[in-house]
Amino acid sequence: MRKYLYIVIMAATMCSCGTSTGLGGVQQSSTQLEEQDYAVARKVNEASLKLFHEVYKMEKRSDNFCISPASASWALSMAATGARSATAVELYGALGFDTPDADAIGNYQQKVIARLAMHGDRQTTIAIANSMWINKGFKAKKAFVRENEKFYNAAVMNCAFDADAVKAINTWCSENTSGRISEIVKEI
């Protein structure tokens, strides 16, 4: 069963997009992949499969585990938009890139998010909620906030990293998942 699940999830990470209109606040003119997007997709898919394989090896002691390579890719990509120098190289390296290219990765991820959000039906709801939480006192650059909003439809918020932050993050998560995920963090 685990091997079957592994194969299904590997296949799910290798998605491609067709034409359609945007959805859910993601700003774009089309979800049609261009030549540059396919190169990004290959690298992101390879990194996602590598991550899944590593987690699978670590979790062999349990019968079940769940990981979203897409979510991990989005989280790394979101953080990478604000990174510079060695940190940027490390984050983009984890995504499978030798050199940082925030626009190419962001444009591709934006199309994937929009396309996934369009596949809900009456029996299935697909909702993607991204957020970035920054410790109070640290001011995010406007370009970082703008890129995360544009490419990932992500909320970027400041708060003191204390017990109130745990409550705020969990409340945001619950509200943005229609109550399906009411606790995402236990402590900061």
Side-chain angles (χ1 to χ4, degrees):
M1 180 64 176
R2 282 179 62 186
K3 189 170 187 172
Y4 174 73
L5 179 62
Y6 177 68
I7 292 168
V8 169
I9 292 176
M10 281 184 7
T13 62
M14 297 181 187
C15 63
S16 62
C17 302
T19 60
S20 189
T21 58
L23 187 72
V26 177
Q27 302 294 317
Q28 95 265 324
S29 59
S30 171
T31 58
Q32 178 66 41
L33 290 182
E34 299 169 13
E35 186 175 329
Q36 173 179 311
D37 295 320
Y38 287 106
V40 172
R42 279 189 295 280
K43 290 181 180 187
V44 169
N45 288 340
E46 288 171 9
S48 295
L49 291 173
K50 183 178 177 183
L51 169 68
F52 187 84
H53 180 70
E54 291 301 315
V55 172
Y56 177 78
K57 286 192 315 189
M58 291 183 341
E59 294 296 323
K60 281 188 176 181
R61 61 190 171 275
S62 77
D63 289 336
N64 297 307
F65 75 98
C66 180
I67 182 173
S68 169
S71 293
S73 172
W74 296 330
L76 285 171
S77 297
M78 288 166 54
T81 63
R84 301 293 175 260
S85 304
T87 304
V89 171
E90 288 289 324
L91 288 169
Y92 285 108
L95 289 164
F97 295 87
D98 297 327
T99 57
D101 192 346
D103 286 339
I105 295 168
N107 283 319
Y108 165 74
Q109 298 285 28
Q110 178 185 47
K111 291 173 184 179
V112 171
I113 290 169
R115 187 66 178 178
L116 287 172
M118 292 169 42
H119 284 287
D121 58 30
R122 289 184 185 169
Q123 296 175 338
T124 306
T125 301
I126 298 175
I128 299 168
N130 291 315
S131 64
M132 182 74 66
W133 296 79
I134 301 170
N135 200 1
K136 189 174 185 174
F138 183 83
K139 180 107 169 107
K141 292 184 178 182
K142 289 179 183 179
F144 174 77
V145 173
R146 187 174 50 251
E147 287 177 18
N148 274 286
E149 288 172 347
K150 175 185 174 187
F151 293 134
Y152 306 98
N153 199 25
V156 179
M157 293 166 280
N158 281 86
C159 66
F161 281 5
D162 56 18
D164 290 336
V166 171
K167 184 178 177 183
I169 292 168
N170 287 331
T171 298
W172 182 93
C173 187
S174 182
E175 289 172 357
N176 284 276
T177 62
S178 300
R180 289 182 178 95
I181 302 173
S182 58
E183 183 179 75
I184 192 131
V185 294
K186 293 181 190 251
E187 64 181 274
I188 294 181

